[in-house]
Every structure is written in C-alpha cells, then in structure tokens.
Amino acid sequence: MSSVPRSMEAEGPGPVRAVDRERRTQASGWWGAALLIATEATLFACLIATYFYLRFRTSEWPLGGIEKPSVTLPLVFTGMLVASSIPMFFSVRAAKGGSVRAAWWLLLLATVVQATYLGLQIHLMVDDLHSFSPQANAYGSIYYTLITVHHAHVAVGLAIDAWLLWKLARGITNYRLIGLRVAAFYWYFVGAAAIAVVLTQLYPSL
Amino acid sequence: MTVSTPPATAVRLQRLERIWKESPGVLGWLTTVDHKRIGILYFFTSLFFFGAGGVEALLIRTQLIGPNQSTLDPATFNEMMSSHGTTMIFFFVVPMSLGAFGNYLIPLMIGARDMAFPRLNALSYWIYLCAGVFLYVGVFSGNGPSAGWFDYVPLASKAYSPGPGIDFYALSLLFVSISTTAGAINAIVTIFKLRAPGMSLNRMPLFCFAFLAVSFALIFALPALSTALILLELERLLGFHFFIPAAGGAPILWQNLFWIFGHPEVYIIILPAFGIATSIIPTFTRRKMVAWPLVALAEILVAFLGFGVWAHHMFAVGLASATAIYFAAASLIIVIPSGIQLFSWIATIVTGTPRFQTPLLWIVGFIVLFIMGGLSGVMFAAIPFDQQTTDTYFVVAHFHYVIFGAAVFPLLGGMYYWFPKVTGRMYHEGWGKASFWLTFVGTNITFFPMHILGLDGMPRRNYTYGPEMGWTGLNLIETLGAYLLALGLLAVFVNLAVSLFRGARAGNDPFGGDTLEWSTTSPPPEYNYAVIPKVSSPYAMWDTEDREEDARNLERGRKTLERGHETAASTAVDADWDEVLEMPSHSAWPPLVALAMAGVFTMILLQQWLAAAVFVGVLLCTVAGFHLKEPEEA
Amino acid sequence: MLVVAGVVFLGAVAMLVVGWVRRETPGLPFLGENEKLNTGLVVLFGMAIPIVILVALFIVSDLVLLNETDAPQASSTAMTVTVIGHQWFWQVRYEGEGAETANEIHIPVRTPVNLVVRSADVIHSFWVPELNRKIDTIPGQANSIELYAEEAGVYRGQCAEFCGLQHAHMAFRVYAEPMPKFKAWLANIRKPAREPATPQAQLGQRYFMEDGCAACHAIAGTEARGTVGPNLTHLAGRETIAADTLANTPEDLFRWVQNPQAIKPGAKMPGLGLGPEQFHAIVAYLTELR
Ligand code: HEA
Ligand code: HEA
Ligand code: CUA
Ligand SMILES: [Cu+2]
C-alpha cells in the first residue's frame, strides 16, 4: 500500500509526472469527461437524425427555395478547428513531460485558432441569416439549431481553455494536468462533432 | 452490538471523525457533500413529490368515482393527469431510486467513503430541487402541463396549448435532465473507480450492477428527450418549425424522439427495483442468488435492449408493417432477460431458507405484481392486440402494475430494509406487515379492474364517462381501492416516522445482511468505513474472516487513510489498488450554481432574453467559483 | 393469450407459495444448494420455455393476424370514406359523392370500405372496437384502414388519442345497413338542404345566417359555408349531436345551441347569447334539416 500514490497531492512537474505514470486507470475526471462526451455525442446524433428525418419527408430540400449552402468556407473553417487538436495534443504531451511553459503556449495557440474559428463561423451564420431565417421552415430551423448547438460546444471549450490558461500560468498540479487532458479530450470530440455537423449542414450541396 | 474498542482504535476514529466533520445545523445541510446526507435530502424531496403525485392521483380517482362527476373540471383534470405522470416519473421514482437509494448505498456497498464527485453530487441534488420547484410553481399557479406526460405535439404546440403550462413542463424536464445526467455520470465513475480494492467486477453486489446499467441507460436516453424538448421550446418560444407539417415539420418526429427516451426510461425505472430485490432476497433467504452471472448479464441486457423497442408505443400511428413487426419482435425478446431475473429470484426464495419479514414480503409482492404487469406488457407486443388496447385503461393497468407494483414496491421494501442502517432504529414489524398487506390488496383492487375496463373499451385520459357505458361499478371499486392503497402507504410512512423516535436500537446488522453496508455502524459515520474493507466475494458481509481482518487493520492503522479527506481508488475491472484520492469537503457553491441555473430557466420561461443572458453570466461565475479551489488546497 | 398468461402467472405464483410453505426451512429436498441444477431451472423457466411461447405468440399475432388489420389494398374496397378528426367532432366525407356529414358514418353491411383518416388540428385516433383496430389521425398524413361490418347494426366508436379538453366527449357511431337502405341514405345526404317550411323555421334560418352560426357551420344550398364546426345540412337525420354527447331531440338541441359550454366545457363553439325565442326559432330550423 505504501506504493499507492496520493495522487491529488502531487504538485510541480516531477511528482505530477510520477503520478501520471504510475496510475493504471484513467483519473476520475477523465472518466467523467468521457461519459459527458458520450451523452453529448448522443445529443448530436439525435439532432442529426432529426435533420435527416425532416429531410426524407419531402422531395424538395432545402425547403421553400432556400439556396443550397456553399461548401468551401465551412469546410476550410472546420479543417481549422480540427487542426487545433494538434497543438492540444502536444500541449498535453508537454505537460506530462514536465514542460509547463511549452504546454501553456501550445494551449494558447490552440485557443487562438478555436476562437478565430468561432468568430468566423458566427460571421458566416450572420450572413446566412440575411438570406433565410430559422422561422422560415423546418429546413431553416434545423439548420440553425444544429449549428448553434455546435457553436455552444465550441464556446464552452473556449471557457475551459481560458480557465486552464489561467491555472497553468501558476504552475502545474495533478488536478490541472487532468484538467488539461480533459480539455484536449473535449476538443477532439468537438472536432469530430464539427465534421459531422458540417457534413450534415452541407449535405444538400454534396 | 458492543465491541470493546482498543485505545489506538479510538484515537483513529476520533481523528477520522474530526477530518470528515461538516458544518453543524442548516448550514451543514446546505453545504454538505456527504453522499449520505445528500441521499437523505433526495429521499425527503422525492417523498414530497410522491405525496404530490399521490394527491393528484387521488383527485383523478375521485373525479372518476362515478359517471359525470364534477370534482374536477376538464381543464383541471388534464392538468392533474399530466402532472401526476410527470411528477411520478421524473420527480419521484428516478430521484428516489438513483438519488436517494443509489446515493446512499452505492458508496457503502462498494466500501468507498463518498461518491467520485461529491460536489457534483450536491449540485445534482440542488438542481433537482430547483427543477421540481419550478414545475410546481406552474402547477400551483394553474399553469401545470396539460398535454399528458408524453406531451404529444401538435396538442402541445403553441396553437393548441397557448398558456405557459407546456413551457413549465419542457423547461423543468430539461432542467432536471441536467441533474439526472450528472447523477448518472457520478454513479458510473464511482462504481468504476472507487470500489474497495479487491472488489473486481465479478465480486460487485448485483445492486451496483443494476445501478450501473441504469446510469448508462440514462446517459444515452436523456439526450433524445433533451433534443425533443429543445426543439419544442424553440418552436413554442421562438417560432421555429419542427413539428408542423405546413412548414415541413412532422408531428411523429416528437413521438420518435420521446419514445427513444421513453422506453429506456421505463427500464431505468424498474432496474433499481431489481437491484433492491437482489439485495433483499439473499439476506432473507440466507442463500446466495441463484445464477449470479446470468442475473448480472440480464440486468445489463435489459438496459441495452430497451433502446430497440420504442415504436411499440406507436403501433396506432400507421407504421409500415415491417417496422411494426420488427418492434414487436424486439419487445418480445426483452422478455427473456426479465424472465431470467424473475426465475432467479423465485429459485433463490424457494431453495433458500426464507424468513418472510417485512422487506421480503414487499419483494414477494413485487414479484407477483411484476409478473402480472409483465404479462400484460407482452400482450402489447402482439400488434393486433395492442391496436385494440392501446390508449385504453388496459395500458394504464399494465404500467401501474409494472411501475407502482414492480418499481415502487421494492422501493418501499428497501425503505424498511435499510431503515435500521440509516436511522439506527428498527421499524415495527407488525405494522410493517400490516402496511404491506393493505398496500398490496389496495394495489390490486385499484389496478386490476382497469384491465377489464380497458378490454371493455374505456379510453384513458377521459375526465368523465357516461352512465350508459356500464363502467360505473368498476370505477367505483378502483377509487375505493386507491383510498385503501393510500391508507397502506400512510401506514408505511407513519410506521417509519414513529420508529424513528420510538424504534428499538438496531445495531450494525439486524438482518444478517449480505453486503458491506451492514459492517459499519448504524447510522454510518461520515467517513463510512474506518478501514477500507477487504472484499473477496459479492457477499462481503458473509466472509467473516475478511471482516475480522478489517478489525485488525483498524487496530494497526492499516488501510485507514487518515491523513485527510481520503478514499481509495482502484482499477476499473480488477479493482487493484491504484491511488489514494483526496476528496473535496463541504462547499456552498453547488446550491449557488443551481440557483443561477434556475434564474436562467425562469428568464427563458418569461422570455426575458436579456435577463437570461445576465443569468448565464452569473452561472458562469458560480461555475468558476465551484472550480476555484483545487482538492489539494482544501 | 389470456389463458397462456394465466398459466404462466399461476405457475410462477405456485413456486412462491412453495417458498412460503417451506419458510424457515433450508432448501428444497433435492435441489437445495445445488448451483448447477438451480441455474438450469432458471435457464429452463426463464429462457427456454419463454422462447417457445414468445415465438408462437409472434407468429400467430404479428405475422398471421396482423394482415387482417392492415391498410386495405386499393382495389379490394368498394368505396372510400374520409374521416377528419377535429377538436372535438368527426367530419365525414364520401369521396366522389359530394356528400358530407358529421359524427355518424353510414356504411353498407358486408362491404369492405376504405377508410381514410386525416386531422384538422391535433392527433386523434379513430376507433370502433367492434369493427377494427385503432388508427391515429395525424396532421399532414393520411392513414387508412378497412372498415368492414359483418352484421347490420349500430357500432359505437370514439376518439382514443388524448386530444385536449373534450377528448372524453368525442365519440361517434357507425351504422352498418343493407345496401339499398345505405344507397337511399347516401342519396339524401347528397342533396342540398331543404328550404324551411314553417314560419318559425324560416325565422330560424334568418337568425342562423345573420347571428354568427353560419361563420362556422355549412349548410349546403344556403350561404352558410363555415368550416369550423360540423356540417349541418342534414342534421335532423342524425340521432345524436355534439359527438354522441346528447340525443338529437329538440330539447337537447336547444340546450346545446343555447349554452354549449355547459355541456362540453372548452368546446370550440361559443354560446352566442341570443334570446330564447331566437334559439327556439333556430332549433325549429335545424329540426327541419332532414
Ligand atoms: C411512478 C409512477 C406512477 C405511480 C407511482 C402512480 C401511482 C398511482 N396512479 Fe398513476 N400514472 C402514471 C404513473 C404513476 N402512477 C403515469 C405515467 C400516468 C399517465 C399519465 C398520462 O396519461 O399522461 C398515470 C396515470 C394514472 C391514471 C389514469 C389517468 C387517465 O388516464 O385519465 C390513474 C387513474 O386512476 C392513475 C392512478 C394512480 C394511483 C391511484 C396511484 C397510487 O398508487 C398513488 C398512491 C400514492 C399516494 C396516495 C401518496 C402517498 C404518499 C404519502 C402518504 C407520502 C407522505 C407525504 C409526505 C411526507 C409529503 N394514474
Ligand atoms: C417500470 C416500467 C415498465 C416495465 C418494466 C415495462 C415492461 C414491459 N412493457 Fe411496458 N409500459 C410502461 C412501463 C413499463 N413497461 C409504461 C409507463 C407504459 C405506458 C406509457 C404511456 O403510454 O403512458 C408502457 C406501455 C407499454 C406498451 C405500449 C402500450 C400502448 O401504449 O399501446 C408496450 C407495447 O409493447 C409495452 C410492453 C412492455 C413489455 C414487453 C415489457 C417487458 O419488459 C415485460 C417483461 C416481463 C415479463 C414478461 C414478466 C416476467 C417473465 C416471465 C414470467 C417469463 C415468462 C413469460 C412469458 C413466456 C411471456 N409497454
Ligand atoms: Cu380526439 Cu381524443
Ligand atoms: Cu415501452
């Protein structure tokens, strides 16, 4: 029993690394995040299923003469968001390896990319709003709902990033490392969801 | 039980006592993160909602006591009927089983000192409380939901339900889903991570398997409900279109989403009851469960298969034959895991040494009622039969047998069974038996005639019926039965309430229980176990050498984890000791977060978007506050 | 099915009774704590026997019987009747005949009728227990079943899906009649309303047209073309009013038109607050609409 680590007490790069190495199961926080992601993924699945349910009830799609969505920009932006997983991944790596500074900068890089993505996306959405409204018909409704739910997930991710940037600036603890790993996990999920959402959104033009 | 305590042990206990102490008085209850206290809060809150739902039920029955009565006008009847279903399902059974029983017992049964996320646990409770209050503000202000508990559109759309009743319904359910999701995640992580070292999955009590299955089912079922509710509110409050055909929507979309959630939900309701049954039966038959692995498997299977049968609630909407046949077949398959469990209970009772004390009586009652309700359920899977009986009182009979008979009876039996553990006192055995028989007889008098009425064509959700229909006599009997049933329940609660003050001292293990919770004191100390218990079978309490070793460990200070708010974490499957976790202690943030959320929901209801945004800001601040303190800084 | 259910139920309860009889005594004579044997029992009763029963049930009910309740083939029926559910009455149309009525459906006996159901507002469910299964009326969707009566007679039907305040008072009748009688009935229904004969009825017609009734009700052959309420062209030919809630007698008719909310609280027809003489006149007019 003396070999069992008191993991929550680990503070500073060395001990944190040791705990992370010795632990044989994922931390509780990671499990919690995994389950949260499972339930959120189901939510997206339900929304996308709704989209196609509505779609296959009519022959005309988009409904009511709404223009088909243009493909390029959303795909490019999505690529950008997915790419932000790379600095996320290396940030976790760096934190595990004990280089807190590197981890912080990588996280900042990811955050900037993600924030830019959200800004550009909102810009696109405002453009869409000029051409058709969510109240127009079922197509408009599910289109904007799907995108907005996705944006909300990105926004939550940004809040987590901000909190971690603040915490990591003051050194690393086991708790913060778990936080970083959870954040990375969350962003991989948001990236995957973004792909699913954008493919659904662009489906009429594909 | 009196054991002389060696001095070293006494010192250790005192230290643990000091470390785990929470604030005294009301403040203590507001800021508690102790799973036992949260369980008790859940218990009384859900009991209150049981009372509310029960009063609504009695009003419904009083209205239906004879033809053309006017105890309730149609509008009130519909509100009572809808609130009854909604309250019982979302604010009574699920919080009672998962929140009260799960919270109190899971950590005890697996030898942990708290749930994996104690503050999240508190947060779940406060959210649940706020959501319940939210709904009942609507009900008491005459704006209760009135489109039935499954709230079909377009009846629930703005055009046909212009008042805010449906908004109260939808928002309060969205609200409470947050709580339930958090609770389910917490339960799963607790079961995976905090089992006492040695309790590999195949040594885990079946009770925990049931709760594990329920929690997983919740995680995958609730999003479908949330989706449906979000779409509904977007349509009602912002004029989006999802369900109205003229704008390209589809009313059946709601039904699909609702039942994709709704059917798993009914197994979510019944599985904890199965878990309680599998705890009580071994204790009172002094015998291990027959076919243990099959039962564990069946519990998981029921939860899983429950996702594939939803459209059996929709046989009358004009499904394509092939679709209907698939869902009928799936509904039949789900009988098998139920059958396995059922005969395992029966076999255990028959081949064991049964002592028919009050808790076991409730379980036997449960078995009988579950067979009744299950068999009528199977009949619905015969599509032509369902197409005749759907939306009649036959369905009402089916689900009250399975819900009240099969899901609530074990909860009541469980209340008797764990009463000595939670309070340290014994209930009154004679009154216990009397209350059982009153309730059991009352249940059958109330719900059995509904089968006949249903076959005779009485539709459900009718606020009245004509004398010429010939339904008068049976309805009268049902109503009288419901009063008897209420009397039986009253006897249960009076018995427990009086015993709380007058009952004999219970000791640690009055029944010769099979699981770990009986090894600690009654009521258990804040830290549950002074020593992380040793476990080598699913019937840990019956492994006497292990319990003796615990006592020796305590004397020697081994596995006592007394440096702080600590508990042991182990690997997910084999339960090898993995780490020692520092658990957070009391916190005022959970109720604050819940209040901020309540603000957001209230402002959405009032369509005050700006204020809602402000409350989202407040919510963010409280969530940040929640995370301000890291465990090691405690 | 009920018998099989009874046997299963009694069998299981019998086992429990055995347990009760042997309370406080350990085990059964030879089963006792023999795990293998007991597990076998569970498998036998919990899996093997149920599978046999379930498969049988499935084949009989879901494969064989189901066909009989399915929507009819287009060519197999003699005529099509469309029923449209409203909060809280039934609009009935005889397709291709230009005939419309409400709450009372006449069909020829021993003739398969294709029944198409639709909804004007929320979901209702069309159900005549003695004739066929339930079928929901769903906005934006047309469902159909076969309506077939083996014997002449009056069959009561009712709305089976919760549809709001007056879901309890949304019944109707199906009259299965020999073909000639049905034909005669249909011929009459196709005609426009006859002109009022008595002076009081003529007065009643005037009130009907001028005081608001015509905004909601249609009477063929007059300027009343409302579509909110039931078609009243041949109201007097019906035996009941307000979806099988009242008998179609002058007294009940008077009670209804004077204050529908007292009879069906929440119904979509308001009490128009006219004086008794006006209502008496209107009733006189309505009772002439044969
Ligand atoms: C968990 C679920 C649950 C439970 C326990 C019950 C319990 C009961 N139900 Fe209900 N019921 C539903 C779920 C449930 N029901 C649902 C989902 C519907 C469908 C709604 C719909 O159509 O939309 C329904 C519908 C329904 C109907 C049909 C309404 C209709 O179609 O028009 C009726 C009619 O008799 C009825 C009766 C009863 C009765 C008499 C009880 C009795 O068993 C109740 C007895 C309970 C009490 C009498 C309370 C006693 C409590 C105490 C004494 C506690 C003390 C209190 C404090 C300390 C505060 N229920
Ligand atoms: C606790 C909740 C619970 C449980 C456990 C069940 C269990 C089952 N239910 Fe039920 N059901 C409800 C709650 C529940 N139900 C509710 C609330 C509704 C109505 C919702 C509403 O409309 O408001 C409903 C409605 C409902 C319908 C729709 C009816 C309709 O509206 O038209 C159907 C249709 O298939 C159905 C089927 C089943 C089946 C096949 C089971 C099976 O799981 C039962 C399995 C158990 C047994 C069969 C008994 C034990 C086994 C044996 C003794 C072995 C031998 C048996 C055989 C060989 C048959 N249920
Ligand atoms: Cu129409 Cu119920
Ligand atoms: Cu179901």
Side-chain angles (χ1 to χ4, degrees):
Chain A
M1 138 163 208
S2 54
S3 66
V4 177
R6 287 194 142 74
S7 38
M8 300 314 265
E9 283 174 10
E11 227 175 301
V16 166
R17 194 153 129 205
V19 166
D20 192 68
R21 287 249 179 80
E22 280 171 42
R23 203 197 343 257
R24 290 158 61 198
T25 324
Q26 296 288 4
S28 300
W30 184 91
W31 277 102
L35 293 166
L36 181 71
I37 286 170
T39 182
E40 293 296 296
T42 317
L43 183 77
F44 276 107
C46 290
L47 282 169
I48 291 172
T50 300
Y51 182 99
F52 285 103
Y53 186 91
L54 293 168
R55 157 66 200 94
F56 289 113
R57 287 181 52 84
T58 63
S59 49
E60 180 201 13
W61 195 261
L63 288 165
I66 294 171
E67 265 177 52
K68 292 186 176 178
S70 61
V71 176
T72 336
L73 278 184
L75 280 184
V76 171
F77 293 167
T78 306
M80 205 172 118
L81 182 73
V82 173
S84 79
S85 293
I86 300 169
M88 259 347 266
F89 175 81
F90 284 103
S91 171
V92 173
R93 245 212 174 155
K96 279 189 185 175
S99 4
V100 186
R101 292 201 129 257
W104 192 88
W105 282 106
L106 283 164
L107 177 60
L108 182 68
L109 174 62
T111 309
V112 169
V113 176
Q114 289 149 355
T116 317
Y117 166 81
L118 186 60
L120 292 171
Q121 276 279 328
I122 291 179
H123 184 77
L124 276 190
M125 195 168 100
V126 172
D127 268 359
D128 282 340
L129 277 172
H130 286 306
S131 69
F132 66 101
S133 87
Q135 283 97 346
N137 55 37
Y139 172 77
S141 300
I142 189 64
Y143 180 90
Y144 286 107
T145 307
L146 194 55
I147 295 179
T148 310
V149 170
H150 168 57
H151 288 177
H153 281 79
V154 176
V156 169
L158 286 173
I160 298 175
D161 286 351
W163 179 80
L164 274 173
L165 283 170
W166 179 61
K167 282 278 179 178
L168 282 181
R170 302 135 124 252
I172 191 151
T173 63
N174 173 59
Y175 186 66
R176 292 172 198 170
L177 175 60
I178 297 174
L180 184 61
R181 294 188 52 206
V182 162
F185 192 1
Y186 180 82
W187 278 111
Y188 305 153
F189 156 67
V190 173
I195 296 175
V197 167
V198 81
L199 288 181
T200 308
Q201 173 198 350
L202 301 183
Y203 153 82
S205 312
L206 295 178
Chain B
M1 229 185 271
T2 48
V3 190
S4 62
T5 18
T9 307
V11 171
R12 279 206 185 88
L13 293 181
Q14 272 167 19
R15 182 177 317 154
L16 280 169
E17 198 88 10
R18 205 173 51 244
I19 293 173
W20 286 82
K21 196 148 202 68
E22 295 198 313
S23 319
V26 179
L27 189 67
W29 285 99
L30 284 173
T31 59
T32 185
V33 292
D34 178 349
H35 71 100
K36 297 179 291 302
R37 295 180 117 193
I38 295 172
I40 289 171
L41 287 172
Y42 259 115
F43 178 82
F44 281 107
T45 313
S46 51
L47 191 62
F48 170 81
F49 285 113
F50 185 39
V55 169
E56 285 154 359
L58 294 181
L59 284 171
I60 294 173
R61 286 296 353 146
T62 307
Q63 162 69 15
L64 294 176
I65 195 167
N68 295 333
Q69 295 291 303
S70 51
T71 313
L72 303 176
D73 60 52
T76 319
F77 180 90
N78 290 349
E79 276 185 25
M80 289 298 117
M81 176 271 288
S82 310
S83 311
H84 165 70
T86 311
T87 308
M88 287 294 198
I89 301 248
F90 295 98
F91 292 93
F92 163 58
V93 217
V94 175
M96 179 60 95
S97 49
L98 200 66
F101 280 82
N103 238 318
Y104 200 98
L105 293 168
I106 290 174
L108 283 169
M109 283 205 184
I110 62 173
R113 285 180 174 169
D114 207 330
M115 298 286 277
F117 307 111
R119 290 186 304 168
L120 183 66
N121 197 19
L123 178 59
S124 306
Y125 169 72
W126 295 109
I127 295 179
Y128 158 59
L129 178 67
C130 290
V133 170
F134 187 90
L135 178 67
Y136 268 78
V137 167
V139 173
F140 285 128
S141 66
N143 290 307
S146 59
W149 84 280
F150 45 70
D151 204 59
Y152 277 1
V153 291
L155 182 59
S157 304
K158 199 88 187 160
Y160 302 103
S161 297
I166 304 296
D167 302 319
F168 272 110
Y169 163 94
L171 293 171
S172 74
L173 293 193
L174 265 176
F175 200 4
V176 82
S177 300
I178 302 174
S179 152
T180 315
T181 307
I185 291 179
N186 213 338
I188 297 175
V189 180
T190 307
I191 290 175
F192 276 160
K193 285 276 298 186
L194 299 193
R195 298 198 311 280
M199 188 185 277
S200 49
L201 278 183
N202 58 347
R203 293 175 185 166
M204 187 167 78
L206 286 168
F207 180 91
C208 299
F209 269 101
F211 279 77
L212 190 63
V214 166
S215 305
F216 269 110
L218 276 169
I219 282 186
F220 293 108
L222 282 172
L225 176 69
S226 304
T227 305
L229 295 168
I230 291 172
L231 302 186
L232 179 66
E233 281 310 282
L234 286 173
E235 183 170 300
R236 286 182 58 90
L237 299 178
L238 296 178
F240 284 34
H241 300 290
F242 296 105
F243 306 119
I244 294 172
I252 301 299
L253 173 61
W254 169 273
Q255 300 193 10
N256 279 305
L257 285 171
F258 188 91
W259 290 118
I260 287 175
F261 153 79
H263 191 87
E265 170 79 2
V266 309
Y267 293 114
I268 288 164
I269 289 172
I270 196 88
L271 271 169
F274 289 1
I276 293 172
T278 45
S279 305
I280 293 183
I281 289 176
T283 298
F284 289 94
T285 54
R286 299 207 194 97
R287 187 202 194 300
K288 299 178 179 175
M289 286 294 296
V290 173
W292 192 98
L294 277 179
V295 176
L297 190 71
E299 285 179 347
I300 309 275
L301 261 182
V302 167
F304 179 73
L305 293 175
F307 281 88
V309 303
W310 78 86
H312 70 201
H313 296 272
M314 299 161 57
F315 283 150
V317 302
L319 298 173
S321 294
T323 319
I325 289 174
Y326 160 76
F327 281 103
S331 309
L332 290 173
I333 290 173
I334 214 158
V335 168
I336 309 275
S338 303
I340 293 176
Q341 295 183 74
L342 187 96
F343 285 102
S344 159
W345 297 320
I346 295 184
T348 310
I349 294 178
V350 175
T351 62
T353 315
R355 282 172 294 158
F356 285 91
Q357 294 186 28
T358 308
L360 186 61
L361 270 186
W362 287 97
I363 298 306
V364 172
F366 145 75
I367 293 176
V368 174
L369 299 174
F370 177 58
I371 302 173
M372 280 290 301
L375 289 177
S376 56
V378 175
M379 294 181 194
F380 294 135
I383 303 168
F385 182 83
D386 179 83
Q387 288 168 338
Q388 272 301 334
T389 50
T390 184
D391 280 312
T392 67
Y393 264 84
F394 197 87
V395 175
V396 180
H398 159 64
F399 71 75
H400 281 91
Y401 265 90
V402 277
I403 287 194
F404 187 71
V408 179
F409 267 49
L411 289 175
L412 296 167
M415 285 178 204
Y416 277 113
Y417 180 54
W418 283 291
F419 182 80
K421 178 52 48 189
V422 176
T423 65
R425 294 182 184 261
M426 280 306 283
Y427 59 83
H428 189 287
E429 186 67 43
W431 274 104
K433 288 191 171 138
S435 66
F436 165 75
W437 285 111
L438 272 178
T439 314
F440 183 75
V441 172
T443 303
N444 285 295
I445 298 182
T446 312
F447 299 118
F448 190 82
M450 291 186 184
H451 291 108
I452 306 171
L453 279 178
L455 292 175
D456 199 32
M458 178 162 171
R460 61 194 284 204
R461 300 168 160 185
N462 274 7
Y463 77 94
T464 192
Y465 52 91
E468 72 283 0
M469 301 307 301
W471 296 332
T472 312
L474 289 175
N475 269 294
L476 174 67
I477 293 175
E478 285 170 10
T479 303
L480 296 179
Y483 295 154
L484 189 67
L485 162 58
L487 208 65
L489 290 171
L490 203 67
V492 173
F493 294 110
V494 169
N495 183 354
L496 296 185
V498 172
S499 305
L500 185 59
F501 301 104
R502 298 263 181 83
R505 296 275 163 200
N508 288 0
D509 185 15
F511 301 122
D514 56 334
T515 36
L516 270 179
E517 75 273 21
W518 300 105
S519 70
T520 187
T521 54
S522 309
E526 273 94 339
Y527 48 86
N528 292 353
Y529 299 101
V531 172
I532 301 300
K534 177 165 194 268
V535 179
S536 39
S537 86
Y539 305 93
M541 229 357 228
W542 293 348
D543 302 328
T544 17
E545 316 87 69
D546 287 356
R547 301 288 69 79
E548 283 159 13
E549 190 177 326
D550 283 353
R552 281 196 299 278
N553 278 342
L554 177 59
E555 233 168 281
R556 296 191 197 132
R558 295 177 66 222
K559 299 216 273 182
T560 49
L561 303 188
E562 46 191 309
R563 278 203 355 222
H565 243 228
E566 291 178 325
T567 194
S570 43
T571 56
V573 177
D574 300 328
D576 293 335
W577 199 331
D578 199 18
E579 45 182 333
V580 172
L581 292 181
E582 171 76 28
M583 309 299 281
S585 52
H586 63 271
S587 162
W589 288 110
L592 293 177
V593 174
L595 272 181
M597 270 189 202
V600 176
F601 278 101
T602 310
M603 290 308 146
I604 293 177
L605 180 90
L606 299 173
Q607 304 194 44
Q608 301 294 328
W609 307 117
L610 198 65
V614 171
F615 272 105
V616 170
V618 176
L619 178 61
L620 281 178
C621 295
T622 53
V623 171
F626 192 100
H627 288 93
L628 217 49
K629 211 155 103 182
E630 293 180 28
E632 60 268 33
E633 295 165 355
Chain C
M1 190 152 62
L2 290 174
V3 175
V4 178
V7 172
V8 174
F9 178 71
L10 290 179
V13 171
M15 295 190 201
L16 283 175
V17 172
V18 172
W20 169 258
V21 170
R22 301 189 55 86
R23 62 190 178 276
E24 306 287 347
T25 46
L28 276 181
F30 51 88
L31 287 171
E33 299 254 329
N34 182 340
E35 283 307 319
K36 273 235 182 70
L37 217 60
N38 284 323
T39 307
L41 269 188
V42 172
V43 172
L44 176 68
F45 284 110
M47 296 174 73
I49 297 183
I51 288 179
V52 175
I53 300 181
L54 295 175
V55 169
L57 178 69
F58 180 69
I59 292 176
V60 173
S61 64
D62 294 338
L63 298 182
V64 180
L65 271 176
L66 184 61
N67 281 333
E68 298 183 12
T69 69
D70 243 11
Q73 302 288 312
S75 54
S76 67
T77 50
M79 57 184 280
T80 297
V81 179
T82 302
V83 170
I84 302 170
H86 290 253
Q87 280 181 325
W88 291 280
F89 68 95
W90 303 90
Q91 178 187 359
V92 184
R93 288 207 311 242
Y94 288 79
E95 295 305 333
E97 307 279 349
E100 180 169 330
T101 178
N103 297 333
E104 298 190 355
I105 305 165
H106 290 242
I107 57 168
V109 72
R110 271 195 224 112
T111 315
V113 174
N114 178 23
L115 187 90
V116 178
V117 299
R118 298 171 177 282
S119 168
D121 36 49
V122 304
I123 301 176
H124 307 269
S125 192
F126 180 94
W127 185 36
V128 192
E130 290 161 278
L131 298 185
N132 203 340
R133 55 170 286 192
K134 295 186 184 69
I135 186 77
D136 289 355
T137 78
I138 295 166
Q141 180 175 330
N143 283 335
S144 62
I145 54 166
E146 183 184 287
L147 205 58
Y148 178 83
E150 182 65 39
E151 276 167 41
V154 185
Y155 301 89
R156 182 174 186 274
Q158 65 204 308
C159 175
E161 181 66 62
F162 181 59
C163 52
L165 289 175
Q166 285 300 335
H167 164 60
H169 289 132
M170 189 168 165
F172 57 96
R173 292 181 175 197
V174 175
Y175 295 79
E177 298 163 335
M179 192 54 105
K181 194 170 167 203
F182 169 74
K183 282 261 160 69
W185 176 84
L186 188 62
N188 182 42
I189 288 291
R190 289 169 59 181
K191 287 190 210 136
R194 63 182 66 177
E195 284 302 311
T198 65
Q200 201 191 13
Q202 282 159 356
L203 193 64
Q205 185 182 33
R206 228 188 63 215
Y207 291 138
F208 190 94
M209 300 303 159
E210 287 167 9
D211 288 334
C213 313
C216 297
H217 292 283
I219 297 180
T222 73
E223 71 238 41
R225 296 218 170 74
T227 54
V228 178
N231 184 306
L232 300 180
T233 310
H234 298 281
L235 177 73
R238 297 182 205 150
E239 289 185 319
T240 65
I241 52 171
D244 203 16
T245 308
L246 295 176
N248 190 4
T249 59
E251 299 76 47
D252 277 356
L253 204 50
F254 181 82
R255 280 209 297 147
W256 170 258
V257 295
Q258 191 195 29
N259 191 358
Q261 296 300 320
I263 290 153
K264 273 173 91 165
K268 302 287 181 191
M269 168 163 159
L272 283 183
L274 310 178
E277 324 81 69
Q278 281 145 311
F279 280 128
H280 277 299
I282 289 175
V283 169
Y285 170 57
L286 293 179
T287 44
E288 285 193 9
L289 296 175
R290 296 238 139 251

